[in-house]
mmCIF file of all heavy atoms in Angstrom:
data_model
loop_
_atom_site.group_PDB
_atom_site.id
_atom_site.type_symbol
_atom_site.label_atom_id
_atom_site.label_comp_id
_atom_site.label_asym_id
_atom_site.label_seq_id
_atom_site.Cartn_x
_atom_site.Cartn_y
_atom_site.Cartn_z
ATOM 1 N N GLU A 6 71.724 -19.658 12.307
ATOM 2 C CA GLU A 6 73.069 -19.902 12.254
ATOM 3 C C GLU A 6 73.350 -21.201 11.655
ATOM 4 O O GLU A 6 72.708 -22.193 12.008
ATOM 5 C CB GLU A 6 73.761 -19.805 13.583
ATOM 6 C CG GLU A 6 75.285 -20.032 13.530
ATOM 7 C CD GLU A 6 75.913 -20.145 14.954
ATOM 8 O OE1 GLU A 6 75.151 -19.902 15.934
ATOM 9 O OE2 GLU A 6 77.066 -20.435 15.033
ATOM 10 N N GLU A 7 74.269 -21.243 10.689
ATOM 11 C CA GLU A 7 74.627 -22.594 10.065
ATOM 12 C C GLU A 7 75.434 -23.461 11.056
ATOM 13 O O GLU A 7 76.441 -22.964 11.593
ATOM 14 C CB GLU A 7 75.407 -22.421 8.788
ATOM 15 C CG GLU A 7 75.640 -23.739 8.027
ATOM 16 C CD GLU A 7 76.310 -23.478 6.686
ATOM 17 O OE1 GLU A 7 77.545 -23.317 6.660
ATOM 18 O OE2 GLU A 7 75.525 -23.508 5.679
ATOM 19 N N ILE A 8 74.987 -24.673 11.260
ATOM 20 C CA ILE A 8 75.617 -25.625 12.247
ATOM 21 C C ILE A 8 76.080 -26.862 11.530
ATOM 22 O O ILE A 8 75.312 -27.412 10.740
ATOM 23 C CB ILE A 8 74.568 -25.862 13.379
ATOM 24 C CG1 ILE A 8 74.078 -24.716 14.089
ATOM 25 C CG2 ILE A 8 75.194 -26.900 14.311
ATOM 26 C CD1 ILE A 8 75.133 -23.952 14.794
ATOM 27 N N ASP A 9 77.273 -27.250 11.845
ATOM 28 C CA ASP A 9 77.803 -28.521 11.306
ATOM 29 C C ASP A 9 77.609 -29.554 12.337
ATOM 30 O O ASP A 9 78.304 -29.684 13.325
ATOM 31 C CB ASP A 9 79.302 -28.371 11.070
ATOM 32 C CG ASP A 9 79.889 -29.598 10.333
ATOM 33 O OD1 ASP A 9 79.072 -30.578 9.981
ATOM 34 O OD2 ASP A 9 81.184 -29.654 10.251
ATOM 35 N N GLY A 10 76.444 -30.307 12.315
ATOM 36 C CA GLY A 10 76.084 -31.178 13.301
ATOM 37 C C GLY A 10 76.297 -32.635 13.065
ATOM 38 O O GLY A 10 77.002 -33.009 12.067
ATOM 39 N N HIS A 11 75.778 -33.526 13.841
ATOM 40 C CA HIS A 11 76.027 -34.901 13.749
ATOM 41 C C HIS A 11 75.280 -35.532 12.465
ATOM 42 O O HIS A 11 75.812 -36.520 11.997
ATOM 43 C CB HIS A 11 75.567 -35.621 15.036
ATOM 44 C CG HIS A 11 75.936 -37.061 15.085
ATOM 45 N ND1 HIS A 11 77.187 -37.576 15.051
ATOM 46 C CD2 HIS A 11 75.052 -38.194 15.271
ATOM 47 C CE1 HIS A 11 77.130 -38.938 15.087
ATOM 48 N NE2 HIS A 11 75.905 -39.289 15.249
ATOM 49 N N VAL A 12 74.201 -34.910 12.232
ATOM 50 C CA VAL A 12 73.354 -35.460 11.092
ATOM 51 C C VAL A 12 73.741 -34.772 9.719
ATOM 52 O O VAL A 12 73.737 -35.432 8.735
ATOM 53 C CB VAL A 12 71.871 -35.370 11.412
ATOM 54 C CG1 VAL A 12 70.946 -35.829 10.205
ATOM 55 C CG2 VAL A 12 71.493 -36.095 12.689
ATOM 56 N N ARG A 13 73.855 -33.461 9.787
ATOM 57 C CA ARG A 13 74.050 -32.733 8.527
ATOM 58 C C ARG A 13 74.590 -31.330 8.899
ATOM 59 O O ARG A 13 74.616 -30.935 10.057
ATOM 60 C CB ARG A 13 72.687 -32.560 7.774
ATOM 61 C CG ARG A 13 71.669 -31.770 8.563
ATOM 62 C CD ARG A 13 70.330 -31.522 7.842
ATOM 63 N NE ARG A 13 69.628 -32.863 7.688
ATOM 64 C CZ ARG A 13 68.869 -33.434 8.632
ATOM 65 N NH1 ARG A 13 68.756 -32.870 9.876
ATOM 66 N NH2 ARG A 13 68.287 -34.562 8.509
ATOM 67 N N THR A 14 74.969 -30.591 7.875
ATOM 68 C CA THR A 14 75.271 -29.126 8.070
ATOM 69 C C THR A 14 74.029 -28.425 7.613
ATOM 70 O O THR A 14 73.594 -28.593 6.488
ATOM 71 C CB THR A 14 76.542 -28.785 7.223
ATOM 72 O OG1 THR A 14 77.635 -29.497 7.625
ATOM 73 C CG2 THR A 14 76.799 -27.271 7.340
ATOM 74 N N SER A 15 73.538 -27.538 8.436
ATOM 75 C CA SER A 15 72.234 -26.906 8.157
ATOM 76 C C SER A 15 72.044 -25.492 8.871
ATOM 77 O O SER A 15 72.641 -25.381 9.871
ATOM 78 C CB SER A 15 71.069 -27.884 8.624
ATOM 79 O OG SER A 15 69.816 -27.237 8.370
ATOM 80 N N SER A 16 71.387 -24.735 8.175
ATOM 81 C CA SER A 16 71.052 -23.369 8.727
ATOM 82 C C SER A 16 69.655 -23.351 9.175
ATOM 83 O O SER A 16 69.126 -22.279 9.551
ATOM 84 C CB SER A 16 71.393 -22.265 7.771
ATOM 85 O OG SER A 16 70.633 -22.416 6.610
ATOM 86 N N THR A 17 68.992 -24.496 9.202
ATOM 87 C CA THR A 17 67.586 -24.534 9.605
ATOM 88 C C THR A 17 67.472 -24.880 11.027
ATOM 89 O O THR A 17 68.187 -25.707 11.593
ATOM 90 C CB THR A 17 66.801 -25.613 8.801
ATOM 91 O OG1 THR A 17 66.741 -25.380 7.469
ATOM 92 C CG2 THR A 17 65.396 -25.792 9.242
ATOM 93 N N TRP A 18 66.654 -24.043 11.685
ATOM 94 C CA TRP A 18 66.384 -24.220 13.170
ATOM 95 C C TRP A 18 64.871 -24.441 13.308
ATOM 96 O O TRP A 18 64.099 -23.871 12.633
ATOM 97 C CB TRP A 18 66.731 -23.003 13.896
ATOM 98 C CG TRP A 18 68.259 -22.847 14.147
ATOM 99 C CD1 TRP A 18 69.139 -22.659 13.127
ATOM 100 C CD2 TRP A 18 69.043 -22.929 15.287
ATOM 101 N NE1 TRP A 18 70.468 -22.593 13.655
ATOM 102 C CE2 TRP A 18 70.361 -22.794 15.037
ATOM 103 C CE3 TRP A 18 68.646 -23.227 16.707
ATOM 104 C CZ2 TRP A 18 71.406 -22.866 15.958
ATOM 105 C CZ3 TRP A 18 69.621 -23.266 17.623
ATOM 106 C CH2 TRP A 18 70.968 -23.084 17.258
ATOM 107 N N LEU A 19 64.536 -25.266 14.306
ATOM 108 C CA LEU A 19 63.180 -25.770 14.557
ATOM 109 C C LEU A 19 62.637 -25.137 15.797
ATOM 110 O O LEU A 19 63.301 -25.216 16.884
ATOM 111 C CB LEU A 19 63.130 -27.298 14.573
ATOM 112 C CG LEU A 19 63.734 -28.058 13.394
ATOM 113 C CD1 LEU A 19 63.714 -29.529 13.692
ATOM 114 C CD2 LEU A 19 62.965 -27.713 12.063
ATOM 115 N N ARG A 20 61.503 -24.663 15.741
ATOM 116 C CA ARG A 20 60.762 -24.074 16.940
ATOM 117 C C ARG A 20 60.086 -25.245 17.595
ATOM 118 O O ARG A 20 59.212 -25.935 17.047
ATOM 119 C CB ARG A 20 59.784 -22.961 16.599
ATOM 120 C CG ARG A 20 59.089 -22.446 17.791
ATOM 121 C CD ARG A 20 58.152 -21.219 17.365
ATOM 122 N NE ARG A 20 57.432 -20.826 18.559
ATOM 123 C CZ ARG A 20 56.101 -21.177 18.719
ATOM 124 N NH1 ARG A 20 55.501 -22.060 17.903
ATOM 125 N NH2 ARG A 20 55.461 -20.801 19.791
ATOM 126 N N ILE A 21 60.443 -25.549 18.874
ATOM 127 C CA ILE A 21 59.811 -26.592 19.621
ATOM 128 C C ILE A 21 58.984 -26.070 20.823
ATOM 129 O O ILE A 21 58.540 -26.875 21.666
ATOM 130 C CB ILE A 21 60.847 -27.718 20.059
ATOM 131 C CG1 ILE A 21 61.902 -27.062 21.004
ATOM 132 C CG2 ILE A 21 61.516 -28.278 18.837
ATOM 133 C CD1 ILE A 21 62.850 -28.042 21.629
ATOM 134 N N GLY A 22 58.851 -24.835 20.908
ATOM 135 C CA GLY A 22 58.067 -24.182 22.020
ATOM 136 C C GLY A 22 58.351 -22.727 22.095
ATOM 137 O O GLY A 22 59.185 -22.169 21.314
ATOM 138 N N LYS A 23 57.744 -22.012 23.026
ATOM 139 C CA LYS A 23 57.956 -20.584 23.194
ATOM 140 C C LYS A 23 59.416 -20.385 23.589
ATOM 141 O O LYS A 23 59.897 -20.875 24.583
ATOM 142 C CB LYS A 23 57.013 -20.013 24.164
ATOM 143 C CG LYS A 23 57.224 -18.523 24.353
ATOM 144 C CD LYS A 23 56.214 -17.914 25.373
ATOM 145 C CE LYS A 23 56.357 -16.457 25.546
ATOM 146 N NZ LYS A 23 55.373 -15.859 26.559
ATOM 147 N N ASP A 24 60.083 -19.604 22.809
ATOM 148 C CA ASP A 24 61.597 -19.269 23.094
ATOM 149 C C ASP A 24 62.394 -20.595 23.171
ATOM 150 O O ASP A 24 63.316 -20.626 23.900
ATOM 151 C CB ASP A 24 61.752 -18.452 24.428
ATOM 152 C CG ASP A 24 61.070 -17.073 24.273
ATOM 153 O OD1 ASP A 24 61.061 -16.516 23.209
ATOM 154 O OD2 ASP A 24 60.478 -16.649 25.330
ATOM 155 N N ARG A 25 62.043 -21.603 22.326
ATOM 156 C CA ARG A 25 62.799 -22.840 22.439
ATOM 157 C C ARG A 25 63.066 -23.216 20.949
ATOM 158 O O ARG A 25 62.153 -23.506 20.204
ATOM 159 C CB ARG A 25 61.991 -23.898 23.127
ATOM 160 C CG ARG A 25 61.877 -23.623 24.628
ATOM 161 C CD ARG A 25 60.912 -24.626 25.342
ATOM 162 N NE ARG A 25 61.414 -26.009 25.226
ATOM 163 C CZ ARG A 25 62.319 -26.505 26.089
ATOM 164 N NH1 ARG A 25 62.826 -25.759 27.071
ATOM 165 N NH2 ARG A 25 62.757 -27.709 25.935
ATOM 166 N N TRP A 26 64.383 -23.341 20.602
ATOM 167 C CA TRP A 26 64.830 -23.649 19.226
ATOM 168 C C TRP A 26 65.922 -24.628 19.338
ATOM 169 O O TRP A 26 66.749 -24.603 20.229
ATOM 170 C CB TRP A 26 65.357 -22.385 18.566
ATOM 171 C CG TRP A 26 64.279 -21.213 18.463
ATOM 172 C CD1 TRP A 26 63.950 -20.371 19.451
ATOM 173 C CD2 TRP A 26 63.455 -20.987 17.413
ATOM 174 N NE1 TRP A 26 63.006 -19.506 19.026
ATOM 175 C CE2 TRP A 26 62.685 -19.842 17.736
ATOM 176 C CE3 TRP A 26 63.292 -21.543 16.088
ATOM 177 C CZ2 TRP A 26 61.699 -19.268 16.884
ATOM 178 C CZ3 TRP A 26 62.350 -20.966 15.254
ATOM 179 C CH2 TRP A 26 61.594 -19.850 15.611
ATOM 180 N N ILE A 27 65.947 -25.535 18.337
ATOM 181 C CA ILE A 27 67.050 -26.532 18.127
ATOM 182 C C ILE A 27 67.491 -26.454 16.665
ATOM 183 O O ILE A 27 66.693 -26.186 15.793
ATOM 184 C CB ILE A 27 66.672 -27.945 18.562
ATOM 185 C CG1 ILE A 27 65.406 -28.358 17.763
ATOM 186 C CG2 ILE A 27 66.388 -28.025 20.055
ATOM 187 C CD1 ILE A 27 65.075 -29.893 17.928
ATOM 188 N N SER A 28 68.823 -26.821 16.449
ATOM 189 C CA SER A 28 69.335 -26.867 15.137
ATOM 190 C C SER A 28 68.894 -28.211 14.506
ATOM 191 O O SER A 28 68.994 -29.270 15.103
ATOM 192 C CB SER A 28 70.828 -26.782 15.099
ATOM 193 O OG SER A 28 71.347 -27.050 13.852
ATOM 194 N N GLU A 29 68.432 -28.164 13.239
ATOM 195 C CA GLU A 29 68.032 -29.404 12.558
ATOM 196 C C GLU A 29 69.265 -30.237 12.157
ATOM 197 O O GLU A 29 69.167 -31.336 11.739
ATOM 198 C CB GLU A 29 67.266 -29.060 11.240
ATOM 199 C CG GLU A 29 66.515 -30.235 10.741
ATOM 200 C CD GLU A 29 65.750 -30.029 9.485
ATOM 201 O OE1 GLU A 29 66.117 -29.047 8.689
ATOM 202 O OE2 GLU A 29 64.813 -30.753 9.156
ATOM 203 N N ALA A 30 70.512 -29.599 12.382
ATOM 204 C CA ALA A 30 71.679 -30.338 12.100
ATOM 205 C C ALA A 30 71.894 -31.555 13.031
ATOM 206 O O ALA A 30 72.687 -32.475 12.728
ATOM 207 C CB ALA A 30 72.876 -29.413 12.291
ATOM 208 N N TYR A 31 71.124 -31.628 14.092
ATOM 209 C CA TYR A 31 71.088 -32.719 14.983
ATOM 210 C C TYR A 31 69.735 -33.517 15.016
ATOM 211 O O TYR A 31 69.453 -34.209 15.993
ATOM 212 C CB TYR A 31 71.437 -32.267 16.377
ATOM 213 C CG TYR A 31 72.897 -31.775 16.508
ATOM 214 C CD1 TYR A 31 73.141 -30.471 16.425
ATOM 215 C CD2 TYR A 31 73.920 -32.665 16.780
ATOM 216 C CE1 TYR A 31 74.491 -29.943 16.450
ATOM 217 C CE2 TYR A 31 75.223 -32.251 16.949
ATOM 218 C CZ TYR A 31 75.512 -30.901 16.804
ATOM 219 O OH TYR A 31 76.763 -30.503 16.902
ATOM 220 N N VAL A 32 69.004 -33.436 13.920
ATOM 221 C CA VAL A 32 67.760 -33.994 13.969
ATOM 222 C C VAL A 32 67.567 -35.025 12.727
ATOM 223 O O VAL A 32 67.925 -34.709 11.629
ATOM 224 C CB VAL A 32 66.584 -32.986 13.777
ATOM 225 C CG1 VAL A 32 65.176 -33.713 13.573
ATOM 226 C CG2 VAL A 32 66.523 -32.119 15.072
ATOM 227 N N THR A 33 67.165 -36.255 13.106
ATOM 228 C CA THR A 33 66.808 -37.227 12.136
ATOM 229 C C THR A 33 65.303 -37.381 12.083
ATOM 230 O O THR A 33 64.649 -37.290 13.064
ATOM 231 C CB THR A 33 67.433 -38.606 12.473
ATOM 232 O OG1 THR A 33 68.847 -38.541 12.516
ATOM 233 C CG2 THR A 33 66.995 -39.647 11.413
ATOM 234 N N TRP A 34 64.723 -37.432 10.853
ATOM 235 C CA TRP A 34 63.265 -37.446 10.736
ATOM 236 C C TRP A 34 62.864 -38.894 10.420
ATOM 237 O O TRP A 34 63.402 -39.573 9.520
ATOM 238 C CB TRP A 34 62.785 -36.512 9.588
ATOM 239 C CG TRP A 34 62.890 -35.126 10.028
ATOM 240 C CD1 TRP A 34 63.880 -34.349 9.665
ATOM 241 C CD2 TRP A 34 61.924 -34.353 10.773
ATOM 242 N NE1 TRP A 34 63.670 -33.050 10.207
ATOM 243 C CE2 TRP A 34 62.431 -33.018 10.842
ATOM 244 C CE3 TRP A 34 60.741 -34.690 11.352
ATOM 245 C CZ2 TRP A 34 61.797 -32.005 11.506
ATOM 246 C CZ3 TRP A 34 60.054 -33.629 12.020
ATOM 247 C CH2 TRP A 34 60.595 -32.356 12.076
ATOM 248 N N SER A 35 61.746 -39.314 11.132
ATOM 249 C CA SER A 35 61.166 -40.703 10.805
ATOM 250 C C SER A 35 59.655 -40.558 11.057
ATOM 251 O O SER A 35 59.223 -40.626 12.189
ATOM 252 C CB SER A 35 61.834 -41.739 11.696
ATOM 253 O OG SER A 35 61.199 -42.972 11.366
ATOM 254 N N PRO A 36 58.883 -40.405 9.977
ATOM 255 C CA PRO A 36 59.288 -40.341 8.600
ATOM 256 C C PRO A 36 59.708 -38.841 8.236
ATOM 257 O O PRO A 36 59.401 -37.980 8.990
ATOM 258 C CB PRO A 36 57.970 -40.715 7.834
ATOM 259 C CG PRO A 36 56.882 -40.230 8.771
ATOM 260 C CD PRO A 36 57.352 -40.382 10.152
ATOM 261 N N SER A 37 60.268 -38.705 7.047
ATOM 262 C CA SER A 37 60.731 -37.484 6.576
ATOM 263 C C SER A 37 59.415 -36.661 6.292
ATOM 264 O O SER A 37 58.489 -37.260 5.638
ATOM 265 C CB SER A 37 61.619 -37.642 5.411
ATOM 266 O OG SER A 37 61.923 -36.390 4.773
ATOM 267 N N GLN A 38 59.398 -35.330 6.543
ATOM 268 C CA GLN A 38 58.190 -34.598 6.329
ATOM 269 C C GLN A 38 58.540 -33.112 6.220
ATOM 270 O O GLN A 38 59.592 -32.697 6.757
ATOM 271 C CB GLN A 38 57.144 -34.817 7.407
ATOM 272 C CG GLN A 38 57.650 -34.549 8.782
ATOM 273 C CD GLN A 38 56.639 -35.068 9.860
ATOM 274 O OE1 GLN A 38 55.573 -34.586 9.952
ATOM 275 N NE2 GLN A 38 57.054 -36.084 10.581
ATOM 276 N N PRO A 39 57.703 -32.328 5.413
ATOM 277 C CA PRO A 39 58.011 -30.957 5.380
ATOM 278 C C PRO A 39 57.668 -30.171 6.633
ATOM 279 O O PRO A 39 56.736 -30.570 7.368
ATOM 280 C CB PRO A 39 57.050 -30.458 4.233
ATOM 281 C CG PRO A 39 55.956 -31.445 4.249
ATOM 282 C CD PRO A 39 56.582 -32.768 4.641
ATOM 283 N N VAL A 40 58.340 -29.148 6.969
ATOM 284 C CA VAL A 40 58.146 -28.318 8.149
ATOM 285 C C VAL A 40 57.761 -26.910 7.579
ATOM 286 O O VAL A 40 58.541 -26.348 6.782
ATOM 287 C CB VAL A 40 59.326 -28.182 9.029
ATOM 288 C CG1 VAL A 40 59.068 -27.339 10.226
ATOM 289 C CG2 VAL A 40 59.678 -29.684 9.536
ATOM 290 N N PRO A 41 56.734 -26.277 8.021
ATOM 291 C CA PRO A 41 56.391 -24.928 7.554
ATOM 292 C C PRO A 41 57.266 -23.880 8.123
ATOM 293 O O PRO A 41 57.881 -24.141 9.172
ATOM 294 C CB PRO A 41 54.870 -24.678 7.972
ATOM 295 C CG PRO A 41 54.827 -25.648 9.164
ATOM 296 C CD PRO A 41 55.686 -26.807 8.936
ATOM 297 N N TRP A 42 57.295 -22.723 7.503
ATOM 298 C CA TRP A 42 58.030 -21.609 7.993
ATOM 299 C C TRP A 42 57.310 -20.997 9.161
ATOM 300 O O TRP A 42 56.109 -21.209 9.379
ATOM 301 C CB TRP A 42 58.247 -20.486 6.938
ATOM 302 C CG TRP A 42 59.039 -20.890 5.783
ATOM 303 C CD1 TRP A 42 58.749 -21.314 4.487
ATOM 304 C CD2 TRP A 42 60.506 -20.864 5.767
ATOM 305 N NE1 TRP A 42 59.769 -21.568 3.757
ATOM 306 C CE2 TRP A 42 60.909 -21.319 4.413
ATOM 307 C CE3 TRP A 42 61.465 -20.580 6.680
ATOM 308 C CZ2 TRP A 42 62.285 -21.434 4.127
ATOM 309 C CZ3 TRP A 42 62.878 -20.786 6.414
ATOM 310 C CH2 TRP A 42 63.244 -21.164 5.140
ATOM 311 N N CYS A 43 58.033 -20.332 10.049
ATOM 312 C CA CYS A 43 57.456 -19.613 11.172
ATOM 313 C C CYS A 43 57.167 -18.131 10.714
ATOM 314 O O CYS A 43 57.945 -17.483 10.093
ATOM 315 C CB CYS A 43 58.462 -19.569 12.370
ATOM 316 S SG CYS A 43 58.846 -21.103 13.047
ATOM 317 N N SER A 44 55.942 -17.660 11.156
ATOM 318 C CA SER A 44 55.642 -16.328 10.966
ATOM 319 C C SER A 44 56.708 -15.436 11.632
ATOM 320 O O SER A 44 57.028 -15.732 12.742
ATOM 321 C CB SER A 44 54.247 -16.063 11.435
ATOM 322 O OG SER A 44 54.024 -14.671 11.541
#
């Protein structure tokens, strides 16, 4: 789902554990780095 967050508007979600997801719209990266797709 596309989210208009505090950092950006994004439809990318990050898997941080089993059945655990967060929207990248609220994530700042330090340092910036690529994230692979989930199978």
Side-chain angles (χ1 to χ4, degrees):
E6 179 186 358
E7 184 171 84
I8 302 297
D9 184 10
H11 186 60
V12 177
R13 63 180 67 83
T14 298
S15 176
S16 59
T17 297
W18 286 66
L19 306 173
R20 178 176 175 263
I21 61 171
K23 182 179 180 180
D24 297 324
R25 293 174 63 82
W26 301 83
I27 58 172
S28 169
E29 196 182 25
Y31 290 94
V32 173
T33 300
W34 289 95
S35 181
S37 178
Q38 54 192 294
V40 178
W42 292 102
C43 299
S44 165

